[in-house]
Amino acid sequence: MKSYDSIVVGSGIAGLTTARILSQHGKKVLLLEKASILGGSLARFRVEGIPYDVGFHFTGGFNDEGTGVLDSILSLLGVRDRIHPIYFPREANHRMIFPKSGFEYIVPCGTEIVRQQLKRDFPHDAAGLDRYFTRFMEVIDNTPTLEVSGFDEFPAPLEADRVTLQSVLDECISDPIVQTVLAGLCMCYGTPPNEASFSTHCRACYGMQESLARVEDGGDAFVDALVDVLRNDRVDIRTRCTIAKCEDVKQRKVGRFVLSDGSEVSAETCIFTIHPHSILSVLPEENTSKAFRERVRDFQATNGFFTLYGTVDEMKEKGPATLASILPDTDLNAMLTCNSSEPVDGPMMVLRSPEKGSDGPVNTVTALEVAFPQTIEHWAASKLKRRAPEYYEYKRLRTESLVSRMKQFIPECRDMHVIDSASTLTYRDYLHNPDGSAYGIRQKMGQFNLFGRLPLVNIYAAGQSAILPGVLGAMTSSFFVCRRILGHEVFREYLSGKTCVSSARS
Ligand SMILES: Cc1cc2nc3c(=O)[nH]c(=O)nc-3n(C[C@H](O)[C@H](O)[C@H](O)COP(=O)(O)OP(=O)(O)OC[C@H]3O[C@@H](n4cnc5c(N)ncnc54)[C@H](O)[C@@H]3O)c2cc1C
């Protein structure tokens, strides 16, 4: 039986980050991935030679000076020079379109600039906007984990952890459009304003609000860079492989891991970076309490997306990427909750991005419409590429609806040519995620997520459902879990940049 210091389960950004931090410290690591390719939601796919991202379209955390939290994280991991951010235009970070009222609002970059612009454009809410942004910045100033130096300690609870985003909006803002402009980025973590705490919203959005960037070669840039250093660190990587069973549990410690290929390994620690419901299915029932299992089962999924991938001919030469949202309503609580088993026109984010196709530069369009698995649950038992004709009819109708709205409200998308589409079932099956959600579990106020050490002492959980979703949230969770495993002193030294980043094993 081969023995490891750590097994990391899942090769999404959280798994790759965890494996890298541990291998940087000389640990012998086994990385297990259920899919045939590495990278999880970050791996790109190609159609007709055109690259498309699945779960990485933009992020906060980079800045021009190279001092953003993501700059620092990637530097610590030794891959910053492999990742090239491309910033969205600062004056037009996000265009929000409200077809019902015929209103359109362009949100710029920079929290203070947004505050001043909103006060100018909505003077009736000026005083409330000041109150909102003061509270917003209080959360940011009291969240040390928004910088790498703060990864040393988990943030102390704040008053803003105990109030919902919606209650703060209601206290400060009377205009529903202003409320939606302020809360709209909750579509990037999938929890409605009446369920998310105010602090969750501030932490999830601050980076994107300060500077929004995509990355050259998209999610593949992260995956390729991290997989290269892991191979160099001689991390054992196995695809199409997972943990089938945890055996020999003594004093709450798993002694032996039976893998899906029949082999067995032992490890001092095992870190799951997969969906909490999938973690639960592997943990031995007799070693976890009923209360624990019920808590995990009760976690609710975030929304997923119905996605269109296409191209536009306009802007032949390289232009900047742009982000627009079409919001059928201002009520984000209703729009992020499944209220009907019939598909409805949901809010959608449309990203136009210049990419390198195999035949030269191409302008891609990715349109992500909020969607829920409940609307396609009649096909839940079906498998990829073997679904009923009615499912393809559902996809055709959704495609028609999205294209018609994009052509009507986003002039640059008038000549959009659709290349492919994905439903929540597609995401479920490609990403090996049990519910097709985009962001794992909802980050509800007062909820205890699966994060850090679990009831079995050598089993840990990280990943997008642990603290916050998104590339940054998932990576941050990996740092915290590694801190626990490596010990605070070693970790503090690592954060200071003093640890030699090349593997002690090579
Ligand atoms: C459509 C969509 C758009 C998004 N857009 C953005 C965006 O623009 N910006 C952003 O920051 N975030 C975005 N996200 C969210 C972001 O992709 C995720 O939060 C993040 O990538 C999650 O990383 P992870 O490592 O936690 O999980 P994942 O990427 O889901 O990785 C988990 C891995 O574990 C594997 N796995 C599952 N079960 C097992 C098992 N039993 N054994 C072994 N392996 C297993 C999976 O195959 C997968 O490779 C988006 C997500 C989606 C779906």
Side-chain angles (χ1 to χ4, degrees), residues 122 124-136 165-175 178-179 182 198:
F122 299 92
H124 51 282
D125 265 328
L129 279 160
D130 273 337
R131 286 200 302 280
Y132 177 88
F133 279 103
T134 301
R135 289 174 76 168
F136 187 98
L165 166 61
Q166 189 61 52
S167 67
V168 176
L169 290 169
D170 290 341
E171 262 175 67
C172 302
I173 310 292
S174 62
D175 189 324
V178 184
Q179 285 204 359
L182 292 171
F198 183 56

PDB file of all heavy atoms in Angstrom, residues 122 124-136 165-175 178-179 182 198:
ATOM      1  N   PHE A 122     -28.619  59.443  -8.728  1.00  0.00           N
ATOM      2  CA  PHE A 122     -29.826  59.137  -7.935  1.00  0.00           C
ATOM      3  C   PHE A 122     -29.808  60.015  -6.687  1.00  0.00           C
ATOM      4  O   PHE A 122     -29.679  59.506  -5.557  1.00  0.00           O
ATOM      5  CB  PHE A 122     -29.865  57.645  -7.563  1.00  0.00           C
ATOM      6  CG  PHE A 122     -29.901  56.726  -8.754  1.00  0.00           C
ATOM      7  CD1 PHE A 122     -28.717  56.222  -9.298  1.00  0.00           C
ATOM      8  CD2 PHE A 122     -31.101  56.377  -9.357  1.00  0.00           C
ATOM      9  CE1 PHE A 122     -28.734  55.384 -10.400  1.00  0.00           C
ATOM     10  CE2 PHE A 122     -31.128  55.531 -10.467  1.00  0.00           C
ATOM     11  CZ  PHE A 122     -29.928  55.040 -10.992  1.00  0.00           C
ATOM     12  N   HIS A 124     -31.965  61.410  -4.933  1.00  0.00           N
ATOM     13  CA  HIS A 124     -32.956  61.124  -3.882  1.00  0.00           C
ATOM     14  C   HIS A 124     -32.457  60.059  -2.908  1.00  0.00           C
ATOM     15  O   HIS A 124     -32.974  59.921  -1.813  1.00  0.00           O
ATOM     16  CB  HIS A 124     -34.301  60.701  -4.509  1.00  0.00           C
ATOM     17  CG  HIS A 124     -34.149  59.597  -5.534  1.00  0.00           C
ATOM     18  ND1 HIS A 124     -33.709  59.842  -6.811  1.00  0.00           N
ATOM     19  CD2 HIS A 124     -34.372  58.272  -5.459  1.00  0.00           C
ATOM     20  CE1 HIS A 124     -33.669  58.690  -7.496  1.00  0.00           C
ATOM     21  NE2 HIS A 124     -34.070  57.726  -6.692  1.00  0.00           N
ATOM     22  N   ASP A 125     -31.438  59.272  -3.298  1.00  0.00           N
ATOM     23  CA  ASP A 125     -30.895  58.246  -2.399  1.00  0.00           C
ATOM     24  C   ASP A 125     -29.478  58.594  -1.940  1.00  0.00           C
ATOM     25  O   ASP A 125     -28.770  57.724  -1.396  1.00  0.00           O
ATOM     26  CB  ASP A 125     -30.883  56.873  -3.098  1.00  0.00           C
ATOM     27  CG  ASP A 125     -32.130  56.054  -2.765  1.00  0.00           C
ATOM     28  OD1 ASP A 125     -32.635  56.207  -1.642  1.00  0.00           O
ATOM     29  OD2 ASP A 125     -32.588  55.280  -3.626  1.00  0.00           O
ATOM     30  N   ALA A 126     -29.068  59.864  -2.130  1.00  0.00           N
ATOM     31  CA  ALA A 126     -27.655  60.221  -1.859  1.00  0.00           C
ATOM     32  C   ALA A 126     -27.248  59.924  -0.417  1.00  0.00           C
ATOM     33  O   ALA A 126     -26.192  59.321  -0.167  1.00  0.00           O
ATOM     34  CB  ALA A 126     -27.418  61.694  -2.193  1.00  0.00           C
ATOM     35  N   ALA A 127     -28.079  60.327   0.542  1.00  0.00           N
ATOM     36  CA  ALA A 127     -27.694  60.127   1.954  1.00  0.00           C
ATOM     37  C   ALA A 127     -27.617  58.625   2.260  1.00  0.00           C
ATOM     38  O   ALA A 127     -26.698  58.155   2.944  1.00  0.00           O
ATOM     39  CB  ALA A 127     -28.711  60.813   2.864  1.00  0.00           C
ATOM     40  N   GLY A 128     -28.584  57.875   1.740  1.00  0.00           N
ATOM     41  CA  GLY A 128     -28.603  56.423   1.974  1.00  0.00           C
ATOM     42  C   GLY A 128     -27.396  55.747   1.321  1.00  0.00           C
ATOM     43  O   GLY A 128     -26.840  54.788   1.861  1.00  0.00           O
ATOM     44  N   LEU A 129     -27.013  56.262   0.151  1.00  0.00           N
ATOM     45  CA  LEU A 129     -25.834  55.674  -0.515  1.00  0.00           C
ATOM     46  C   LEU A 129     -24.588  55.874   0.341  1.00  0.00           C
ATOM     47  O   LEU A 129     -23.755  54.978   0.464  1.00  0.00           O
ATOM     48  CB  LEU A 129     -25.652  56.310  -1.903  1.00  0.00           C
ATOM     49  CG  LEU A 129     -26.573  55.706  -2.980  1.00  0.00           C
ATOM     50  CD1 LEU A 129     -26.730  56.654  -4.170  1.00  0.00           C
ATOM     51  CD2 LEU A 129     -26.051  54.345  -3.442  1.00  0.00           C
ATOM     52  N   ASP A 130     -24.482  57.036   0.953  1.00  0.00           N
ATOM     53  CA  ASP A 130     -23.338  57.261   1.852  1.00  0.00           C
ATOM     54  C   ASP A 130     -23.364  56.264   3.004  1.00  0.00           C
ATOM     55  O   ASP A 130     -22.338  55.695   3.369  1.00  0.00           O
ATOM     56  CB  ASP A 130     -23.369  58.700   2.405  1.00  0.00           C
ATOM     57  CG  ASP A 130     -22.667  59.650   1.451  1.00  0.00           C
ATOM     58  OD1 ASP A 130     -21.816  59.187   0.656  1.00  0.00           O
ATOM     59  OD2 ASP A 130     -22.987  60.863   1.478  1.00  0.00           O
ATOM     60  N   ARG A 131     -24.555  56.051   3.562  1.00  0.00           N
ATOM     61  CA  ARG A 131     -24.649  55.092   4.683  1.00  0.00           C
ATOM     62  C   ARG A 131     -24.268  53.679   4.209  1.00  0.00           C
ATOM     63  O   ARG A 131     -23.524  52.964   4.866  1.00  0.00           O
ATOM     64  CB  ARG A 131     -26.076  55.072   5.259  1.00  0.00           C
ATOM     65  CG  ARG A 131     -26.438  56.306   6.090  1.00  0.00           C
ATOM     66  CD  ARG A 131     -27.628  56.037   7.008  1.00  0.00           C
ATOM     67  NE  ARG A 131     -28.835  55.616   6.302  1.00  0.00           N
ATOM     68  CZ  ARG A 131     -29.677  56.450   5.675  1.00  0.00           C
ATOM     69  NH1 ARG A 131     -29.447  57.748   5.680  1.00  0.00           N
ATOM     70  NH2 ARG A 131     -30.758  55.989   5.067  1.00  0.00           N
ATOM     71  N   TYR A 132     -24.792  53.318   3.023  1.00  0.00           N
ATOM     72  CA  TYR A 132     -24.512  51.973   2.486  1.00  0.00           C
ATOM     73  C   TYR A 132     -23.009  51.784   2.301  1.00  0.00           C
ATOM     74  O   TYR A 132     -22.430  50.791   2.757  1.00  0.00           O
ATOM     75  CB  TYR A 132     -25.245  51.776   1.149  1.00  0.00           C
ATOM     76  CG  TYR A 132     -24.941  50.450   0.495  1.00  0.00           C
ATOM     77  CD1 TYR A 132     -25.690  49.316   0.789  1.00  0.00           C
ATOM     78  CD2 TYR A 132     -23.870  50.314  -0.396  1.00  0.00           C
ATOM     79  CE1 TYR A 132     -25.399  48.080   0.209  1.00  0.00           C
ATOM     80  CE2 TYR A 132     -23.566  49.090  -0.976  1.00  0.00           C
ATOM     81  CZ  TYR A 132     -24.330  47.994  -0.677  1.00  0.00           C
ATOM     82  OH  TYR A 132     -24.025  46.768  -1.238  1.00  0.00           O
ATOM     83  N   PHE A 133     -22.357  52.749   1.635  1.00  0.00           N
ATOM     84  CA  PHE A 133     -20.933  52.572   1.332  1.00  0.00           C
ATOM     85  C   PHE A 133     -20.061  52.670   2.585  1.00  0.00           C
ATOM     86  O   PHE A 133     -18.999  52.057   2.648  1.00  0.00           O
ATOM     87  CB  PHE A 133     -20.484  53.561   0.245  1.00  0.00           C
ATOM     88  CG  PHE A 133     -20.843  53.062  -1.135  1.00  0.00           C
ATOM     89  CD1 PHE A 133     -21.932  53.585  -1.826  1.00  0.00           C
ATOM     90  CD2 PHE A 133     -20.116  52.041  -1.731  1.00  0.00           C
ATOM     91  CE1 PHE A 133     -22.269  53.103  -3.093  1.00  0.00           C
ATOM     92  CE2 PHE A 133     -20.454  51.553  -2.997  1.00  0.00           C
ATOM     93  CZ  PHE A 133     -21.536  52.085  -3.677  1.00  0.00           C
ATOM     94  N   THR A 134     -20.515  53.444   3.576  1.00  0.00           N
ATOM     95  CA  THR A 134     -19.752  53.495   4.829  1.00  0.00           C
ATOM     96  C   THR A 134     -19.771  52.107   5.473  1.00  0.00           C
ATOM     97  O   THR A 134     -18.735  51.579   5.904  1.00  0.00           O
ATOM     98  CB  THR A 134     -20.374  54.545   5.781  1.00  0.00           C
ATOM     99  OG1 THR A 134     -20.348  55.794   5.095  1.00  0.00           O
ATOM    100  CG2 THR A 134     -19.609  54.662   7.081  1.00  0.00           C
ATOM    101  N   ARG A 135     -20.946  51.498   5.480  1.00  0.00           N
ATOM    102  CA  ARG A 135     -21.037  50.158   6.075  1.00  0.00           C
ATOM    103  C   ARG A 135     -20.248  49.148   5.241  1.00  0.00           C
ATOM    104  O   ARG A 135     -19.612  48.239   5.765  1.00  0.00           O
ATOM    105  CB  ARG A 135     -22.509  49.743   6.197  1.00  0.00           C
ATOM    106  CG  ARG A 135     -23.209  50.552   7.292  1.00  0.00           C
ATOM    107  CD  ARG A 135     -24.683  50.288   7.357  1.00  0.00           C
ATOM    108  NE  ARG A 135     -25.002  49.013   7.974  1.00  0.00           N
ATOM    109  CZ  ARG A 135     -26.228  48.668   8.339  1.00  0.00           C
ATOM    110  NH1 ARG A 135     -27.232  49.507   8.185  1.00  0.00           N
ATOM    111  NH2 ARG A 135     -26.462  47.492   8.886  1.00  0.00           N
ATOM    112  N   PHE A 136     -20.319  49.308   3.925  1.00  0.00           N
ATOM    113  CA  PHE A 136     -19.586  48.421   3.012  1.00  0.00           C
ATOM    114  C   PHE A 136     -18.086  48.470   3.353  1.00  0.00           C
ATOM    115  O   PHE A 136     -17.432  47.439   3.548  1.00  0.00           O
ATOM    116  CB  PHE A 136     -19.823  48.891   1.571  1.00  0.00           C
ATOM    117  CG  PHE A 136     -19.276  47.970   0.509  1.00  0.00           C
ATOM    118  CD1 PHE A 136     -20.100  47.056  -0.141  1.00  0.00           C
ATOM    119  CD2 PHE A 136     -17.931  48.016   0.142  1.00  0.00           C
ATOM    120  CE1 PHE A 136     -19.592  46.209  -1.131  1.00  0.00           C
ATOM    121  CE2 PHE A 136     -17.422  47.179  -0.836  1.00  0.00           C
ATOM    122  CZ  PHE A 136     -18.262  46.279  -1.479  1.00  0.00           C
ATOM    123  N   LEU A 165     -28.007  41.149   3.342  1.00  0.00           N
ATOM    124  CA  LEU A 165     -27.773  42.217   2.358  1.00  0.00           C
ATOM    125  C   LEU A 165     -29.076  42.983   2.124  1.00  0.00           C
ATOM    126  O   LEU A 165     -29.092  44.216   2.069  1.00  0.00           O
ATOM    127  CB  LEU A 165     -27.264  41.586   1.045  1.00  0.00           C
ATOM    128  CG  LEU A 165     -27.266  42.468  -0.188  1.00  0.00           C
ATOM    129  CD1 LEU A 165     -26.364  43.686  -0.008  1.00  0.00           C
ATOM    130  CD2 LEU A 165     -26.815  41.665  -1.421  1.00  0.00           C
ATOM    131  N   GLN A 166     -30.193  42.229   2.020  1.00  0.00           N
ATOM    132  CA  GLN A 166     -31.467  42.884   1.726  1.00  0.00           C
ATOM    133  C   GLN A 166     -31.849  43.875   2.823  1.00  0.00           C
ATOM    134  O   GLN A 166     -32.346  44.970   2.531  1.00  0.00           O
ATOM    135  CB  GLN A 166     -32.577  41.830   1.554  1.00  0.00           C
ATOM    136  CG  GLN A 166     -33.888  42.412   1.038  1.00  0.00           C
ATOM    137  CD  GLN A 166     -33.716  43.061  -0.339  1.00  0.00           C
ATOM    138  OE1 GLN A 166     -33.197  42.455  -1.268  1.00  0.00           O
ATOM    139  NE2 GLN A 166     -34.149  44.323  -0.474  1.00  0.00           N
ATOM    140  N   SER A 167     -31.596  43.502   4.085  1.00  0.00           N
ATOM    141  CA  SER A 167     -32.014  44.411   5.155  1.00  0.00           C
ATOM    142  C   SER A 167     -31.193  45.704   5.105  1.00  0.00           C
ATOM    143  O   SER A 167     -31.724  46.791   5.364  1.00  0.00           O
ATOM    144  CB  SER A 167     -31.932  43.733   6.525  1.00  0.00           C
ATOM    145  OG  SER A 167     -30.588  43.476   6.836  1.00  0.00           O
ATOM    146  N   VAL A 168     -29.916  45.601   4.751  1.00  0.00           N
ATOM    147  CA  VAL A 168     -29.101  46.822   4.640  1.00  0.00           C
ATOM    148  C   VAL A 168     -29.592  47.666   3.455  1.00  0.00           C
ATOM    149  O   VAL A 168     -29.721  48.889   3.555  1.00  0.00           O
ATOM    150  CB  VAL A 168     -27.594  46.471   4.501  1.00  0.00           C
ATOM    151  CG1 VAL A 168     -26.762  47.723   4.283  1.00  0.00           C
ATOM    152  CG2 VAL A 168     -27.124  45.722   5.733  1.00  0.00           C
ATOM    153  N   LEU A 169     -29.911  47.000   2.359  1.00  0.00           N
ATOM    154  CA  LEU A 169     -30.425  47.747   1.193  1.00  0.00           C
ATOM    155  C   LEU A 169     -31.721  48.467   1.576  1.00  0.00           C
ATOM    156  O   LEU A 169     -31.914  49.643   1.247  1.00  0.00           O
ATOM    157  CB  LEU A 169     -30.697  46.791   0.022  1.00  0.00           C
ATOM    158  CG  LEU A 169     -29.460  46.183  -0.653  1.00  0.00           C
ATOM    159  CD1 LEU A 169     -29.876  45.064  -1.602  1.00  0.00           C
ATOM    160  CD2 LEU A 169     -28.668  47.236  -1.415  1.00  0.00           C
ATOM    161  N   ASP A 170     -32.611  47.750   2.267  1.00  0.00           N
ATOM    162  CA  ASP A 170     -33.900  48.354   2.633  1.00  0.00           C
ATOM    163  C   ASP A 170     -33.722  49.525   3.601  1.00  0.00           C
ATOM    164  O   ASP A 170     -34.463  50.504   3.531  1.00  0.00           O
ATOM    165  CB  ASP A 170     -34.839  47.305   3.249  1.00  0.00           C
ATOM    166  CG  ASP A 170     -35.322  46.312   2.206  1.00  0.00           C
ATOM    167  OD1 ASP A 170     -35.233  46.638   0.998  1.00  0.00           O
ATOM    168  OD2 ASP A 170     -35.758  45.206   2.579  1.00  0.00           O
ATOM    169  N   GLU A 171     -32.740  49.399   4.490  1.00  0.00           N
ATOM    170  CA  GLU A 171     -32.501  50.486   5.435  1.00  0.00           C
ATOM    171  C   GLU A 171     -31.956  51.734   4.749  1.00  0.00           C
ATOM    172  O   GLU A 171     -32.236  52.854   5.167  1.00  0.00           O
ATOM    173  CB  GLU A 171     -31.441  50.038   6.454  1.00  0.00           C
ATOM    174  CG  GLU A 171     -32.003  49.530   7.767  1.00  0.00           C
ATOM    175  CD  GLU A 171     -30.864  49.007   8.610  1.00  0.00           C
ATOM    176  OE1 GLU A 171     -30.005  49.805   9.042  1.00  0.00           O
ATOM    177  OE2 GLU A 171     -30.842  47.785   8.777  1.00  0.00           O
ATOM    178  N   CYS A 172     -31.146  51.523   3.702  1.00  0.00           N
ATOM    179  CA  CYS A 172     -30.409  52.658   3.117  1.00  0.00           C
ATOM    180  C   CYS A 172     -31.001  53.201   1.820  1.00  0.00           C
ATOM    181  O   CYS A 172     -30.863  54.385   1.520  1.00  0.00           O
ATOM    182  CB  CYS A 172     -28.958  52.264   2.843  1.00  0.00           C
ATOM    183  SG  CYS A 172     -28.051  51.715   4.294  1.00  0.00           S
ATOM    184  N   ILE A 173     -31.621  52.343   1.015  1.00  0.00           N
ATOM    185  CA  ILE A 173     -31.916  52.714  -0.378  1.00  0.00           C
ATOM    186  C   ILE A 173     -33.405  52.547  -0.673  1.00  0.00           C
ATOM    187  O   ILE A 173     -33.981  51.486  -0.403  1.00  0.00           O
ATOM    188  CB  ILE A 173     -31.110  51.809  -1.355  1.00  0.00           C
ATOM    189  CG1 ILE A 173     -29.623  51.763  -0.983  1.00  0.00           C
ATOM    190  CG2 ILE A 173     -31.329  52.196  -2.811  1.00  0.00           C
ATOM    191  CD1 ILE A 173     -28.849  53.048  -1.163  1.00  0.00           C
ATOM    192  N   SER A 174     -34.018  53.584  -1.264  1.00  0.00           N
ATOM    193  CA  SER A 174     -35.443  53.473  -1.570  1.00  0.00           C
ATOM    194  C   SER A 174     -35.687  53.047  -3.024  1.00  0.00           C
ATOM    195  O   SER A 174     -36.683  52.394  -3.321  1.00  0.00           O
ATOM    196  CB  SER A 174     -36.135  54.825  -1.319  1.00  0.00           C
ATOM    197  OG  SER A 174     -35.560  55.791  -2.187  1.00  0.00           O
ATOM    198  N   ASP A 175     -34.788  53.381  -3.924  1.00  0.00           N
ATOM    199  CA  ASP A 175     -35.017  53.130  -5.356  1.00  0.00           C
ATOM    200  C   ASP A 175     -34.657  51.683  -5.705  1.00  0.00           C
ATOM    201  O   ASP A 175     -33.514  51.256  -5.508  1.00  0.00           O
ATOM    202  CB  ASP A 175     -34.129  54.111  -6.152  1.00  0.00           C
ATOM    203  CG  ASP A 175     -34.453  54.095  -7.634  1.00  0.00           C
ATOM    204  OD1 ASP A 175     -34.765  53.013  -8.159  1.00  0.00           O
ATOM    205  OD2 ASP A 175     -34.386  55.179  -8.251  1.00  0.00           O
ATOM    206  N   VAL A 178     -31.547  51.239  -7.845  1.00  0.00           N
ATOM    207  CA  VAL A 178     -30.271  51.426  -7.131  1.00  0.00           C
ATOM    208  C   VAL A 178     -29.971  50.171  -6.298  1.00  0.00           C
ATOM    209  O   VAL A 178     -28.837  49.686  -6.259  1.00  0.00           O
ATOM    210  CB  VAL A 178     -30.310  52.686  -6.228  1.00  0.00           C
ATOM    211  CG1 VAL A 178     -28.959  52.913  -5.574  1.00  0.00           C
ATOM    212  CG2 VAL A 178     -30.698  53.916  -7.033  1.00  0.00           C
ATOM    213  N   GLN A 179     -30.987  49.624  -5.669  1.00  0.00           N
ATOM    214  CA  GLN A 179     -30.785  48.383  -4.897  1.00  0.00           C
ATOM    215  C   GLN A 179     -30.203  47.293  -5.805  1.00  0.00           C
ATOM    216  O   GLN A 179     -29.286  46.571  -5.429  1.00  0.00           O
ATOM    217  CB  GLN A 179     -32.117  47.895  -4.319  1.00  0.00           C
ATOM    218  CG  GLN A 179     -32.618  48.697  -3.137  1.00  0.00           C
ATOM    219  CD  GLN A 179     -33.575  47.884  -2.240  1.00  0.00           C
ATOM    220  OE1 GLN A 179     -33.882  46.728  -2.520  1.00  0.00           O
ATOM    221  NE2 GLN A 179     -34.034  48.503  -1.158  1.00  0.00           N
ATOM    222  N   LEU A 182     -26.592  47.880  -6.756  1.00  0.00           N
ATOM    223  CA  LEU A 182     -25.674  47.584  -5.644  1.00  0.00           C
ATOM    224  C   LEU A 182     -25.556  46.075  -5.381  1.00  0.00           C
ATOM    225  O   LEU A 182     -24.502  45.590  -4.986  1.00  0.00           O
ATOM    226  CB  LEU A 182     -26.150  48.284  -4.361  1.00  0.00           C
ATOM    227  CG  LEU A 182     -26.067  49.812  -4.373  1.00  0.00           C
ATOM    228  CD1 LEU A 182     -26.771  50.403  -3.150  1.00  0.00           C
ATOM    229  CD2 LEU A 182     -24.613  50.279  -4.406  1.00  0.00           C
ATOM    230  N   PHE A 198     -24.688  40.617   4.799  1.00  0.00           N
ATOM    231  CA  PHE A 198     -24.117  41.805   4.171  1.00  0.00           C
ATOM    232  C   PHE A 198     -22.604  41.636   4.003  1.00  0.00           C
ATOM    233  O   PHE A 198     -22.023  41.986   2.972  1.00  0.00           O
ATOM    234  CB  PHE A 198     -24.446  43.042   5.022  1.00  0.00           C
ATOM    235  CG  PHE A 198     -23.961  44.328   4.419  1.00  0.00           C
ATOM    236  CD1 PHE A 198     -24.338  44.694   3.127  1.00  0.00           C
ATOM    237  CD2 PHE A 198     -23.123  45.176   5.135  1.00  0.00           C
ATOM    238  CE1 PHE A 198     -23.886  45.891   2.559  1.00  0.00           C
ATOM    239  CE2 PHE A 198     -22.673  46.376   4.577  1.00  0.00           C
ATOM    240  CZ  PHE A 198     -23.053  46.728   3.291  1.00  0.00           C
TER     241      PHE A 198
END
